[in-house]
Amino acid sequence: MSSMKKIIAVLLRKAYLLQVVDYILLIKSIFETKNINKQFCSSHPDFVTPPHHLAYDAYNHTNWNAYYNMGIIHSKLISDLVKEYVNEKNIKICEWGCGPARVIRHLSSIEGFDKVGLYGTDYNKNSVEWCKNHINHIKFVKNELSPPLPYESEYFNCAYAISIFTHLSEEKHYAWLSELFRVIKPNGILIFTTHGDLCSRRLTLSEKARYNSGALVVRDKIKEGKKHFTTYHSHLFIKERLLKGHSVLRHITDPKEYNLEQEVWVVRNN
């Protein structure tokens, strides 16, 4: 991000104008993707796409090609890691922060597993209702911005969160980490992504200094959980603070094969 764009973003955030600008950009995105989306729907007549505003709220775009293709690519990330670290044959997987089901709808079967039960949860009631009404092979429930989840303890073999911790305060990092481990079976895994070193180039000089010190960098001035409430996570913060005492199985710093700029963490529930 250029220095001028950084300054403009900071000023808009301080003036609480990001949501106004976001609405204008939503309309712009709908207009710009109108033709390409029409072509996509024509070539994928059986693939149901979410409402524009739900997609934009979750992914910052309304491009159905991107929604479809990135969903497949990121579902491969999850399935590859599940195949590597989960040993049971009948498994249950939860996506915490599923949004309009971009990823989880592609995970109905994973090679090497006899049965895969899928569960999606999100704090956006409109996304959850849309998912319930249009994607029947997955069980969707609404959660709140704070724990708990409506599941019994040790229910899942795997829980994953793609770009969810990236929009939460430090307090909720610890609260949700504890809750996710509660619903994961012993020896199950948690997969999540963070804004790490590749994303840190977006930071201002003062933010980068905090990032390098091991502090969580939080850009707020907007409702927590929304995409413009943004957090950046140094390796030091994750390893020495958030995951202290937990078993990190994998840390992917540059998952470019999955078309991800965020870092990926895989943690065992001991």
Side-chain angles (χ1 to χ4, degrees):
M1 183 184 293
S2 68
S3 297
M4 181 56 66
K5 287 183 177 180
K6 287 181 182 179
I7 293 171
I8 292 172
V10 168
L11 292 174
L12 287 172
R13 187 179 298 275
K14 288 183 176 180
Y16 297 92
L17 290 175
L18 281 178
Q19 286 182 298
V20 175
V21 174
D22 211 41
Y23 179 75
I24 295 171
L25 293 176
L26 164 62
I27 302 303
K28 180 174 181 285
S29 179
I30 293 172
F31 177 78
E32 291 177 342
T33 58
K34 181 179 179 180
N35 290 333
I36 194 171
N37 284 347
K38 184 177 180 180
Q39 293 173 5
F40 175 88
C41 292
S42 177
S43 59
H44 299 79
D46 297 324
F47 187 84
V48 181
T49 57
H52 290 99
H53 70 281
L54 293 181
Y56 191 80
D57 183 63
Y59 316 121
N60 212 36
H61 69 75
T62 59
N63 185 313
W64 301 146
N65 278 314
Y67 172 85
Y68 180 81
N69 293 324
M70 295 303 290
I72 291 175
I73 292 170
H74 293 167
S75 70
K76 185 177 186 302
L77 166 68
I78 302 304
S79 62
D80 285 350
L81 293 172
V82 167
K83 286 188 285 187
E84 184 169 357
Y85 295 110
V86 176
N87 297 319
E88 296 182 37
K89 293 302 179 182
N90 295 330
I91 63 172
K92 294 177 181 176
I93 299 175
C94 175
E95 180 174 5
W96 168 57
C98 64
R102 178 176 62 92
V103 176
I104 197 169
R105 67 190 300 173
H106 298 288
L107 283 173
S108 55
S109 64
I110 300 176
E111 183 182 355
F113 294 89
D114 297 332
K115 183 179 179 181
V116 179
L118 296 176
Y119 300 76
T121 174
D122 200 274
Y123 87 116
N124 186 324
K125 65 178 181 180
N126 294 322
S127 288
V128 172
E129 285 304 310
W130 180 84
C131 289
K132 285 182 177 180
N133 291 332
H134 294 90
I135 304 175
N136 298 323
H137 65 284
I138 301 170
K139 296 179 181 179
F140 294 98
V141 298
K142 182 183 179 299
N143 61 264
E144 302 301 327
L145 190 60
S146 298
L149 291 171
Y151 303 112
E152 62 187 69
S153 297
E154 300 180 6
Y155 194 69
F156 300 107
N157 302 91
C158 169
Y160 71 91
I162 298 177
S163 197
I164 304 302
F165 282 114
T166 51
H167 304 289
L168 293 177
S169 63
E170 183 166 355
E171 177 187 5
K172 286 189 171 55
H173 273 65
Y174 294 102
W176 274 111
L177 187 75
S178 177
E179 174 64 5
L180 290 166
F181 280 131
R182 181 188 70 80
V183 300
I184 297 173
K185 294 177 182 288
N187 294 315
I189 61 170
L190 171 64
I191 304 166
F192 65 92
T193 68
T194 58
H195 286 144
D197 287 352
L198 289 175
C199 298
S200 67
R201 67 178 184 273
R202 305 172 191 164
L203 299 176
T204 64
L205 290 177
S206 61
E207 289 173 334
K208 190 62 181 294
R210 295 204 306 276
Y211 177 91
N212 290 337
S213 74
L216 184 71
V217 177
V218 181
R219 290 179 171 177
D220 48 17
K221 308 298 183 185
I222 198 166
K223 185 178 179 181
E224 186 170 359
K226 292 295 186 180
K227 62 178 179 284
H228 292 302
F229 186 107
T230 312
T231 56
Y232 293 81
H233 315 76
S234 68
H235 301 174
L236 187 61
F237 171 81
I238 296 293
K239 293 179 178 178
E240 298 299 325
R241 298 174 67 173
L242 185 65
L243 295 180
K244 187 175 183 179
H246 295 286
S247 300
V248 176
L249 300 175
R250 187 93 171 267
H251 175 208
I252 308 174
T253 58
D254 186 9
K256 56 187 175 183
E257 66 176 296
Y258 299 105
N259 205 358
L260 256 178
E261 189 180 46
Q262 296 182 19
E263 299 186 2
V264 181
W265 299 82
V266 185
V267 190
R268 179 76 73 192
N269 189 22
N270 296 325

